[in-house]
Amino acid sequence: MSSVPARTGRQRQRYEDNLRLVSGCIPYRWRKDNTDLMGETEIMEVLMISSPKRDDLVFPKGGWEDDETVTEAACREALEEAGVKGILREIPLGIWEFRSKSSQDLCSIEGGCRGYMFALEVTEELEHWPEQKNRSRQWLNIKEAFRLSRYDWMCNALEAFLRVMEEERKLDEKQEQNTELEQPSIMVADVSECQTMSPNCYKRSSTMHMPPSVNLLSRATQEIAIHFGY
């Protein structure tokens, strides 16, 4: 059993403009694929979890409480709901407003939520986690994630996620090209790049390292078109 209980209750819940503030993330990983005819490639997968009492999949998210930052809340929800830890991209993918589909009591009196979503590079997947009895988890490729995203805001968050990943890839490629032009030197880890936020998560304030050979945007464009029927 997990030694960290899930938070319950609404005593510390944050509200703004009569909306319940929510923080969550899109957990992702790179999986090696040996089926490509061009050789070994790496495929990006995102993690989705089941919803209690509903037949759908969602991204880990939950109430942002008044004793934590929005990034700490995102990491906590990833641990409690999905049982994963990792490196969180400090800048949010975006902010979305939506209504609770299960019960208006989960958000404000009117059922409204304002959600902050982040990208979480998973580095550890726990065997046991606090909400394991009520939630299962599933790794999906991007196309599958779009197909199973029931709500518009989730599709929008995925689109923002893919744009950020592509921007990071291009920046990494540029940095690698600049490094090749410089004289060889001893590489020293920049401890400011990854800062410890909590035992569950690190935040990365600069760029995330990504396989330079993967053109996410070209793949994502096709998958988004398929999802929306273009």
Side-chain angles (χ1 to χ4, degrees):
M1 298 297 293
S2 172
S3 59
V4 181
R7 289 194 180 193
T8 58
R10 296 287 180 266
Q11 294 84 358
R12 308 193 71 96
Q13 174 63 56
R14 292 177 187 257
Y15 290 89
E16 184 178 80
D17 300 328
N18 205 30
L19 298 171
R20 179 183 180 226
L21 298 186
V22 170
S23 184
C25 64
I26 298 180
Y28 73 95
R29 70 179 181 185
W30 293 96
R31 179 178 62 82
K32 291 184 178 180
D33 180 24
N34 297 316
T35 62
D36 196 311
L37 297 178
M38 301 298 293
E40 186 179 272
T41 60
E42 289 189 295
I43 297 176
M44 175 183 285
E45 294 181 325
V46 296
L47 184 67
M48 300 183 75
I49 56 175
S50 61
S51 299
K53 302 179 182 179
R54 297 203 309 275
D55 186 22
D56 60 2
L57 294 176
V58 296
F59 298 115
K61 70 181 189 309
W64 174 14
E65 301 190 348
D66 61 12
D67 64 340
E68 60 188 354
T69 66
V70 66
T71 51
E72 288 172 342
C75 290
R76 175 177 57 77
E77 292 295 337
L79 174 67
E80 291 179 357
E81 295 189 347
V84 293
K85 300 180 182 181
I87 301 172
L88 192 81
R89 187 179 188 274
E90 189 175 14
I91 301 174
L93 299 171
I95 304 171
W96 288 271
E97 293 184 3
F98 52 89
R99 295 180 65 83
S100 170
K101 301 296 184 180
S102 59
S103 171
Q104 290 191 349
D105 292 338
L106 291 179
C107 293
S108 70
I109 297 175
E110 291 77 15
C113 297
R114 178 174 292 156
Y116 296 74
M117 294 296 292
F118 299 84
L120 176 73
E121 181 182 4
V122 174
T123 58
E124 184 177 359
E125 193 169 346
L126 304 181
E127 184 177 351
H128 303 288
W129 66 96
E131 298 189 22
Q132 184 175 7
K133 290 184 178 180
N134 298 321
R135 298 182 185 274
S136 60
R137 58 192 179 192
Q138 187 173 353
W139 285 102
L140 304 163
N141 62 40
I142 299 298
K143 181 179 178 180
E144 293 170 330
F146 270 112
R147 180 176 62 83
L148 294 172
S149 292
R150 182 177 177 182
Y151 309 116
D152 289 342
W153 75 266
M154 293 176 58
C155 294
N156 294 336
L158 267 175
E159 291 173 13
F161 169 77
L162 290 173
R163 286 194 295 268
V164 168
M165 294 294 100
E166 179 65 9
E167 291 171 0
E168 296 285 357
R169 182 192 67 83
K170 290 180 179 179
L171 185 58
D172 278 354
E173 283 187 343
K174 185 176 180 179
Q175 290 177 341
E176 288 180 2
Q177 291 173 357
N178 292 337
T179 301
E180 291 176 356
L181 297 176
E182 297 174 353
Q183 294 293 328
S185 60
I186 299 175
M187 299 300 294
V188 180
D190 183 1
V191 295
S192 64
E193 182 182 1
C194 292
Q195 302 172 359
T196 304
M197 277 197 318
S198 72
N200 306 330
C201 196
Y202 288 80
K203 67 178 179 182
R204 176 164 281 159
S205 56
S206 57
T207 61
M208 288 186 285
H209 302 290
M210 304 174 60
S213 60
V214 180
N215 191 328
L216 289 173
L217 194 57
S218 62
R219 294 185 183 181
T221 302
Q222 297 175 358
E223 292 164 355
I224 293 172
I226 292 172
H227 173 74
F228 289 105
Y230 295 154

